[in-house]
Amino acid sequence: MRRRIDSLIGQVVAANAVLVVLTLLSATLVAGLRLEGRQLAVLMMAVALTLVVNVWMLQRRFAPLDRLIREVEQVDPARPAEARLARPDERIAEIDRLARAFERLLESIERERRRSGQLVLRAQEEERKRLARDLHDETNQALTGILLRLEALAHDLPAQLRPRVVELKQLVSGAMDELVTLARQLRPAALDDHGLVAALEAQLARLRSRSGVAAELLVSGEPERLSPDQQSALYRIAQEALTNAQRHARATRIEVELACSGDCARLTVTDDGVGFDPTSDADGGLGLRGMAERARLAGGELDLRSAPGSGTAVSATIPLLVTHDGNGQLTAAALTGDTER
Ligand SMILES: Nc1ncnc2c1ncn2[C@@H]1O[C@H](COP(=O)(O)OP(=O)(O)O)[C@@H](O)[C@H]1O
Ligand SMILES: [Mg+2]
């Protein structure tokens, strides 16, 4: 009840009802009429009819506004980019403006979300780079120093104590190996020094030697057109997809394909493992969500295809920036992806 009275239509009809009754009353008074019986009933019916027509017309005029409100209420604030407001056949200037203003608002929210997400990811990669460098340069150097001193010590010690030093040396070597693995996981130097293709190649070589899985990389197009941020994003997506293929799929073959041509780059990781039903948990785990979020922040999307018994294919597609100079040549900005920043 309260809702009806609060609604815009309710208020306009109430105001109209007051106006009609007041007008009729004053007209009757001015004309000196004394309404009785049937005349009064006819007048009341005319007033009621006027109000019914009024309500009907107002409802028709306000229907697009009602629809717009319902659509706006259904927008998921976490996914503003997916919101599409339907354009009614019967367009009303004010409502159209409202819808366009709302769409612009959603677009700017999405832009801001993407920009701040990219800043967070960039800061995260920088921090990982710093940590990996510190681990590699400082901690590893210190361990190398310990190893060298242990070797010198082994020469000076009596023969029966040497096995203990050898044991210590093995422990230190093990710690150094773990440190290098950790530093590489944090941020592979190959990614910064030689780019995405080299980093993926190195990752697959390690996977082959560690697990014996047949893993290969296929590259086509011009991967050098990917910006450093895009390379980081695709590398992290590949890293997670490869971890999943090893951890969950029991795959014997893994194929990574990187295709960069036209206006998009696509990275696909395919395994021949046990597969799973991606719809069983609509939002996926943290890993799957993280991959989708990275692809989205890079302006693209993630496609996941899998079914129990028929392997899994994870594919991230992101846009490549193509800008041309007057001669139709790709500019340096497009080649380095600097225009993205
Ligand atoms: N390549 C794959 N093969 C089989 N199952 C997979 C694969 N990738 C993901 N899954 C399934 O999807 C689930 C969610 O994956 P993910 O989000 O990466 O989380 P996590 O790896 O931490 O379990 C996994 O637990 C697994 O059941
Ligand atoms: Mg995972």
Side-chain angles (χ1 to χ4, degrees):
M1 182 70 190
R2 184 166 164 70
R3 209 191 133 150
R4 256 218 101 57
I5 292 170
D6 279 349
S7 80
L8 195 54
I9 296 184
Q11 290 183 14
V12 176
V13 170
N16 284 353
V18 171
L19 286 178
V20 169
V21 171
L22 279 180
T23 312
L24 280 175
L25 274 180
S26 39
T28 326
L29 282 178
V30 169
L33 295 174
R34 304 190 74 229
L35 299 172
E36 281 167 2
R38 258 185 69 195
Q39 290 165 315
L40 197 62
V42 170
L43 200 65
M44 295 310 281
M45 269 176 60
V47 171
L49 197 67
T50 312
L51 290 178
V52 168
V53 172
N54 195 228
V55 169
W56 177 74
M57 275 174 52
L58 283 172
Q59 268 176 347
R60 275 204 53 184
R61 302 315 295 164
F62 279 101
L65 183 63
D66 242 15
R67 259 199 308 274
L68 179 67
I69 293 171
R70 251 180 286 129
E71 284 177 8
V72 168
E73 280 171 345
Q74 279 164 11
V75 170
D76 179 357
R79 300 165 199 267
E82 287 168 21
R84 285 282 161 272
L85 302 181
R87 289 264 174 268
D89 301 334
E90 194 182 4
R91 294 172 75 161
I92 295 164
E94 285 81 0
I95 295 175
D96 221 33
R97 268 174 58 196
L98 197 61
R100 268 188 282 132
F102 188 71
E103 278 176 351
R104 276 201 303 277
L105 188 70
L106 287 179
E107 278 164 18
S108 69
I109 291 176
E110 176 63 11
R111 251 198 322 275
E112 190 48 39
R113 243 170 79 89
R114 196 175 285 176
R115 201 184 67 85
S116 51
Q118 279 169 346
L119 286 180
V120 169
L121 285 186
R122 202 178 289 167
Q124 192 189 51
E125 290 295 335
E126 285 300 322
E127 183 63 8
R128 286 179 171 192
K129 212 184 285 184
R130 194 184 63 74
L131 275 173
R133 212 172 30 226
D134 284 358
L135 279 180
H136 189 272
D137 295 352
E138 314 219 340
T139 320
N140 214 28
Q141 286 294 327
L143 287 174
T144 311
I146 294 176
L147 206 59
L148 290 175
R149 272 178 214 158
L150 283 175
E151 252 163 43
L153 191 65
H155 282 295
D156 301 341
L157 281 179
Q160 73 269 25
L161 286 178
R162 280 190 199 146
R164 294 216 190 150
V165 176
V166 171
E167 204 181 309
L168 276 179
K169 273 172 57 187
Q170 277 167 352
L171 284 176
V172 174
S173 291
M176 284 171 76
D177 286 347
E178 276 177 31
L179 207 70
V180 170
T181 309
L182 190 63
R184 201 180 290 126
Q185 275 169 358
L186 273 172
R187 177 80 188 181
L191 190 55
D192 296 310
D193 299 343
H194 308 289
L196 178 63
V197 174
L200 288 174
E201 197 68 86
Q203 168 102 341
L204 291 183
R206 280 192 299 278
L207 196 153
R208 276 192 296 267
S209 69
R210 219 179 24 232
S211 64
V213 172
E216 65 171 321
L217 175 69
L218 301 169
V219 181
S220 62
E222 309 133 288
E224 58 280 359
R225 282 172 59 199
L226 289 162
S227 73
D229 284 349
Q230 290 178 317
Q231 296 194 30
S232 288
L234 290 182
Y235 181 80
R236 295 295 176 200
I237 291 171
Q239 204 176 26
E240 175 61 26
L242 288 170
T243 307
N244 279 351
Q246 290 173 83
R247 192 184 290 164
H248 307 298
R250 278 176 272 143
T252 58
R253 260 195 85 74
I254 301 177
E255 196 178 278
V256 179
E257 190 183 351
L258 176 65
C260 305
S261 57
D263 57 3
C264 71
R266 176 173 294 132
L267 174 100
T268 312
V269 179
T270 317
D271 71 58
D272 65 350
V274 295
F276 69 109
D277 178 7
T279 57
S280 64
D281 177 8
D283 273 347
L286 266 186
L288 294 176
R289 259 182 287 163
M291 286 195 275
E293 184 66 6
R294 277 182 199 278
R296 215 174 60 75
L297 288 177
E301 56 184 29
L302 191 86
D303 180 42
L304 177 64
R305 278 169 209 208
S306 187
S310 39
T312 300
V314 180
S315 178
T317 309
I318 60 174
L320 281 172
L321 287 168
V322 184
T323 50
H324 295 88
D325 61 16
N327 305 320
Q329 299 287 312
L330 280 176
T331 62
L335 288 167
T336 58
D338 275 352
T339 45
E340 243 235 320
R341 297 182 167 219

